Amino acid sequence: LLSKPFVLTWVGSNFADSAKVVTLLSLCSILQFISLPSGYLVMGFRKIRLIYMLSYLKLITYWLGIALLFPHIGYIAFGYLELTCFTLNGVVYTWFVCKFLKINLVLFFRIVILPAVLPIVTLILILLSLRNYLPLEKGKLNLLTVAGAGVVATGVAMIIYYFTSKSFKSYTS
């Protein structure tokens, strides 16, 4: 939601088309909450085959996808394929964590995802309401304004998450 104002205030209107790529690359970080700790868990248990299998699968998916899509859609293909590989990583690691914790996917979603719904909806609503008021011209102050809006919206969402997630609240207390 902040990709276009961020790109325009940072590098200017000559790079307006790159806002789509920034959006896709930003979406890649959504599954980091599961991929990062799960990756450490996989390495800790020395699941070398899983690591290699996932690495090869991502490598083949990425470059085959680039070869097929780049001639048709250009540089945006890199963003789409990066998101595809991060999603694949998140799916495999979610499966591994559920197996490790001996819980099913429904319970995982109830414990991990459901408490985040209200904060995420709040974050989206705040950013949507601010979208028309954010600057779009290149400049340091404009960039700081856009970044500040993102920080404030994220802060509000984190506060809501603190009060709605029992597990998050227990970690911070």
Side-chain angles (χ1 to χ4, degrees), residues 17-94:
D17 291 342
S18 64
K20 292 176 186 175
V21 176
V22 170
T23 300
L24 292 170
L25 294 177
S26 297
L27 289 173
C28 291
S29 65
I30 288 176
L31 293 175
Q32 286 296 345
F33 76 94
I34 189 70
S35 297
L36 199 59
S38 302
Y40 294 137
L41 187 64
V42 168
M43 285 187 286
F45 278 100
R46 299 179 186 218
K47 298 289 186 181
I48 304 301
R49 284 188 185 169
L50 179 62
I51 294 170
Y52 283 156
M53 186 244 350
L54 191 55
S55 295
Y56 288 132
L57 188 59
K58 290 188 314 185
L59 178 76
I60 292 166
T61 301
Y62 186 79
W63 288 111
L64 184 62
I66 294 297
L68 294 173
L69 293 177
F70 183 76
H72 302 288
I73 62 174
Y75 289 103
I76 194 86
F78 289 96
Y80 282 121
L81 271 300
E82 196 70 30
L83 180 59
T84 301
C85 288
F86 271 92
T87 303
L88 182 63
N89 209 43
V91 167
V92 170
Y93 281 158
T94 299

Side-chain angles (χ1 to χ4, degrees), residues 95-157:
W95 165 81
F96 182 79
V97 166
C98 288
K99 186 176 167 187
F100 173 76
L101 295 174
K102 296 180 176 98
I103 61 173
N104 62 26
L105 203 53
V106 173
L107 185 58
F108 175 82
F109 276 97
R110 191 177 321 141
I111 294 169
V112 177
I113 306 297
L114 195 58
V117 170
L118 181 61
I120 290 170
V121 168
T122 304
L123 177 69
I124 291 169
L125 290 175
I126 291 171
L127 293 177
L128 284 175
S129 66
L130 292 176
R131 185 171 51 176
N132 294 330
Y133 301 104
L134 293 173
L136 299 175
E137 297 85 31
K138 182 179 177 181
K140 290 179 184 176
L141 186 58
N142 289 343
L143 178 59
L144 287 173
T145 302
V146 171
V151 167
V152 169
T154 303
V156 170

